[in-house]
């Protein structure tokens, strides 16, 4: 069972439908007790809201989330759900989870903010999550800030939007994507399928 | 590099049980009429980047029908979905988002109450608020209006509301700039002079608005063939182009349009 963390900021229908479509067994989890009781095989932190709001609403889940991550349960962070895995963000004074070392900073001057639309991936390392994904495949992005990992080895793919930025990061059981796979049609579903396969193994 | 977006627009008549897509569909050509979510799936297969569902019936009780259409669509179609037509208040927007929409587009309600743009942007994010502008050329100079050079002479562009039935006296360029300041994430810009003509987009209108704002502009109105889309995306700063009948009638697929754009040097998702 894949737990989608509902931190009360938006609609999770698309990510739920997409995970179900690729053979996952998603359930939407709305409080920490439900997460503790759920016996989740994997956790998804979806991408809605701003960094500060997301962290404030995720904090009640944090003990159980850390337990799951430290015990090796696969985690997928999407958009803001990726950014909160880092230490801090220029968007807010609220600290991130710090599961990955690094910062979240604003997109550079000279590009339209937010980045909204389909952009291409450049693959930096072939990982299980990116099986079947090629350089130049497009994914749907909506964001104003981006992640700068301290350790470049966690960067699995980048995208170019005024700056070359990490858009897929992976470290052990932690996986995160800046784009919305649940809004990225066939290739987005493939990434979610790869994640679901990982969970089954 | 960010791709230019191709957006089929599904004008939905929700006066029948499951809704149907009606734009350009005359009684004799009923084979092109479609169930909204089936057409949506077809456009997904063809490589559409985004879909817009416009409720052309737009009466209040139809809101739930549109919600069902979006729910059915979002079971199988995984791309950004916009709902427009009849979004009058935050509650209408919430209904749309809960059914699976990613964005709502507002026109009349925002002109009557510009704060609605701020509210939608605040509660659901800038990216969730599309401002739709229906603009018509006015060649008579009026104080305070931004005049734009065109091959037909100088003109300004007047915003219309209530589905094009009434005019506002508001300058479309100034309204677009205000909408950006209020937090709109996209501007869906329809030329009333070109809409339905298949003569091509209003290049001067699209250029003027897309040069005046920093948010993406979706060009709309007048698309008759892929070359029209190439022209507007190559010659203006528009980020996207919207078309309805060329796709619904099966005249062109989204893929054919994108192939034409690629050959013309426009960056698209193929």
């Amino acid at each position: 069972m894949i737990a989608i963390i509902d931190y009360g900021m938006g609609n999770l229908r698309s990510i739920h439908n997409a995970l179900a479509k690729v053979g996952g067994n998603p359930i939407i989890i709305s409080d920490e007790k439900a997460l503790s009781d759920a016996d989740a095989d994997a956790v998804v932190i979806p991408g809605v809201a701003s960094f500060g709001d997301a962290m404030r609403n995720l904090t009640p889940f944090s003990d159980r989330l850390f337990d799951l991550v430290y015990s090796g349960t696969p985690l997928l962070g999407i958009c803001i759900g990726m950014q909160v895995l880092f230490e801090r963000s220029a968007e807010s004074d609220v600290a991130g989870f710090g599961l990955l070392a690094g910062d979240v900073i604003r997109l550079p001057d000279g590009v339209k903010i937010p980045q909204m639309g389909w952009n291409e991936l450049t693959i930096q390392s072939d990982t299980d999550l990116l099986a079947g994904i090629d350089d130049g495949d497009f994914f749907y992005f909506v964001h104003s800030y981006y992640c700068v990992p301290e350790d470049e080895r966690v960067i699995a793919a980048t995208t170019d939007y005024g700056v070359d930025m990490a858009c897929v990061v992976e470290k052990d059981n932690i996986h995160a994507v800046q784009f919305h796979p649940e809004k990225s049609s066939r290739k987005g579903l493939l990434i979610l399928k790869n994640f679901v396969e990982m969970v089954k193994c | 590099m960010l791709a230019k977006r191709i957006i089929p627009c599904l004008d939905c008549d929700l006066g029948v049980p499951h809704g149907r897509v009606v734009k350009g569909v005359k009684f004799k050509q009923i084979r092109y009429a479609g169930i909204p979510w089936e057409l949506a799936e077809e456009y997904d297969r063809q490589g559409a980047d985004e879909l817009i569902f416009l409720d052309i019936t737009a009466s209040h009780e139809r809101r739930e029908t549109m919600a069902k259409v979006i729910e059915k669509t979002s079971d199988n179609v995984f791309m950004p979905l916009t709902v427009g037509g009849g979004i009058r208040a935050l509650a209408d927007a919430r209904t749309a988002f809960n059914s699976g929409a990613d964005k709502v587009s507002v026109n009349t309600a925002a002109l009557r109450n510009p704060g609605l743009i701020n509210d939608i942007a605040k509660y659901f994010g800038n990216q969730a608020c599309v401002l739709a502008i229906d603009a018509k050329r006015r060649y008579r100079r009026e104080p305070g209006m931004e005049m734009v050079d065109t091959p037909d002479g100088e003109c300004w562009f007047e915003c219309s509301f209530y589905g094009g039935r009434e005019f506002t006296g508001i300058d479309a360029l100034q309204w677009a700039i205000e909408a950006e300041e209020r937090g709109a994430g996209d501007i869906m810009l329809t030329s009333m002079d070109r809409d339905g003509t298949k003569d091509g987009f209003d290049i001067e209108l699209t250029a003027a608005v897309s040069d005046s704002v920093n948010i993406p502009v979706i060009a709309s109105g007048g698309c008759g063939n892929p070359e029209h889309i190439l022209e507007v995306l190559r010659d203006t700063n528009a980020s996207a182009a919207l078309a309805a009948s060329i796709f619904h009638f099966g005249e062109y697929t989204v893929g054919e349009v994108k192939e034409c754009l690629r050959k013309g040097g426009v960056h698209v998702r193929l």
Side-chain angles (χ1 to χ4, degrees):
Chain A
M1 184 272 296
I2 299 175
I4 301 170
I5 307 291
D6 175 11
Y7 46 101
M9 299 301 293
N11 168 30
L12 306 179
R13 171 182 282 275
S14 299
I15 183 64
H16 182 275
N17 286 350
L19 285 164
K21 180 98 181 166
V22 298
N25 176 22
I27 64 163
I28 291 177
I29 296 281
S30 302
D31 58 68
E32 203 211 0
K33 182 169 182 313
L35 184 59
S36 299
D37 295 346
D39 192 25
D41 304 312
V43 178
V44 173
I45 305 179
V48 286
S50 63
F51 189 95
D53 286 338
M55 272 317 295
R56 272 186 283 273
N57 288 287
L58 278 166
T59 299
F61 294 95
S62 56
D63 287 348
R64 184 61 188 144
L65 264 177
F66 278 109
D67 287 347
L68 285 164
V69 171
Y70 289 142
S71 66
T73 306
L75 170 74
L76 178 64
I78 296 171
C79 195
I80 284 288
M82 167 181 183
Q83 297 178 5
V84 296
L85 303 179
F86 287 83
E87 293 167 289
R88 63 207 147 246
S89 169
E91 191 182 2
S92 168
D93 294 331
V94 183
F97 283 123
L99 286 162
L100 297 167
D103 287 276
V104 182
I105 64 175
R106 193 158 167 88
L107 288 167
D109 290 340
V111 296
K112 291 189 181 189
I113 297 177
Q115 165 166 229
M116 181 163 59
W118 297 80
N119 206 338
E120 291 158 291
L121 245 58
T122 303
I123 295 177
Q124 305 296 343
S125 64
D126 289 319
T127 66
D128 292 344
L129 191 69
L130 297 178
I133 305 295
D134 299 312
D135 269 342
D137 281 350
F138 282 88
F139 293 85
Y140 189 75
F141 290 79
V142 181
H143 65 124
S144 303
Y145 294 80
Y146 69 101
C147 302
V148 184
E150 221 171 85
D151 180 359
E152 290 193 357
R153 287 171 301 181
V154 305
I155 300 172
T158 54
T159 195
D160 177 17
Y161 189 67
V163 60
D164 245 343
M165 72 183 89
C167 67
V168 181
V169 297
E170 298 187 74
K171 188 190 175 198
D172 304 325
N173 54 321
I174 298 171
H175 312 270
V177 293
Q178 181 59 65
F179 49 82
H180 287 270
E182 78 280 14
K183 287 288 160 190
S184 297
S185 199
R186 203 165 45 82
K187 292 287 181 173
L189 291 178
L190 182 54
I191 286 192
L192 293 175
K193 186 166 188 288
N194 290 340
F195 182 70
V196 167
E197 296 293 325
M198 223 179 268
V199 175
K200 285 178 179 162
C201 290
Chain B
M1 194 177 144
L2 206 58
K4 302 269 184 176
R5 291 174 275 158
I6 300 303
I7 308 176
C9 179
L10 291 80
D11 287 1
C12 297
D13 170 9
L14 302 175
V16 296
H18 302 295
R20 61 184 170 192
V21 177
V22 292
K23 175 96 177 206
V25 176
K26 302 183 183 94
F27 288 112
K28 287 178 200 155
Q29 295 158 309
I30 204 148
R31 69 193 170 103
Y32 295 119
I35 296 169
W37 55 85
E38 290 182 359
L39 265 177
E41 286 177 42
E42 173 58 24
Y43 293 143
D44 184 24
R45 278 191 290 274
Q46 292 181 11
D49 297 308
E50 202 164 321
L51 295 172
I52 293 182
F53 296 77
L54 285 184
D55 174 5
I56 58 153
T57 38
S59 62
H60 221 60
E61 62 273 19
R62 304 275 157 76
R63 209 167 80 189
E64 294 304 317
T65 312
M66 183 56 106
K68 293 249 159 39
V69 165
I70 300 301
E71 277 178 26
K72 283 289 277 185
T73 303
S74 64
D75 282 344
N76 290 306
V77 173
F78 297 95
M79 73 170 106
L81 307 175
T82 300
V83 170
I87 304 287
R88 294 182 174 88
L90 217 49
D92 301 317
R94 189 173 315 247
T95 303
F97 293 127
N98 285 340
S99 63
D102 301 283
K103 312 179 189 186
V104 293
S105 84
V106 289
N107 180 353
T108 305
L111 280 161
R112 294 186 58 88
N113 168 26
L116 181 61
I117 298 171
N118 303 65
D119 288 346
I120 294 171
K122 178 170 170 238
Y123 286 101
F124 304 105
N126 299 57
Q127 82 291 340
C129 183
V130 180
L131 177 74
I133 296 178
D134 293 345
K136 192 165 175 58
R137 290 184 174 208
R138 299 294 184 205
Y139 291 98
R140 214 181 78 184
R141 186 177 279 277
E142 304 244 1
M145 303 304 177
E146 303 273 345
M147 299 304 283
V148 173
D149 274 330
T150 79
D152 306 309
E154 265 196 334
C155 71
W156 62 284
F157 297 95
E158 183 177 10
C159 292
S160 151
F161 57 4
Y162 295 106
R165 291 188 297 276
E166 291 184 37
F167 286 90
T168 60
I170 292 173
D171 184 319
L173 255 70
Q174 294 168 11
W175 177 227
I177 291 166
E178 179 179 341
E180 178 180 16
E181 286 164 359
R182 289 181 177 276
D186 272 305
I187 291 188
M188 185 175 125
L189 180 66
T190 302
S191 161
M192 296 180 64
D193 303 289
R194 296 300 178 90
D195 201 32
T197 65
K198 298 202 155 206
D199 288 341
F201 295 89
D202 187 329
I203 298 295
E204 288 78 24
L205 169 67
T206 311
V209 174
S210 60
D211 288 343
S212 304
V213 296
N214 277 310
I215 51 178
V217 171
I218 303 164
S220 160
C223 181
N225 59 51
E227 287 72 25
H228 289 151
I229 298 184
L230 173 62
E231 183 188 21
V232 78
L233 293 181
R234 189 189 53 202
D235 298 347
T236 77
N237 282 320
S239 300
L242 176 148
S245 50
I246 68 160
F247 298 132
H248 300 337
F249 280 115
E251 291 166 23
Y252 301 97
T253 64
V254 177
E256 285 164 351
V257 166
K258 287 192 168 182
E259 191 51 42
C260 168
L261 293 173
R262 189 190 62 78
K263 285 186 183 145
V266 173
H267 193 59
V268 288
R269 177 177 72 104
L270 282 171

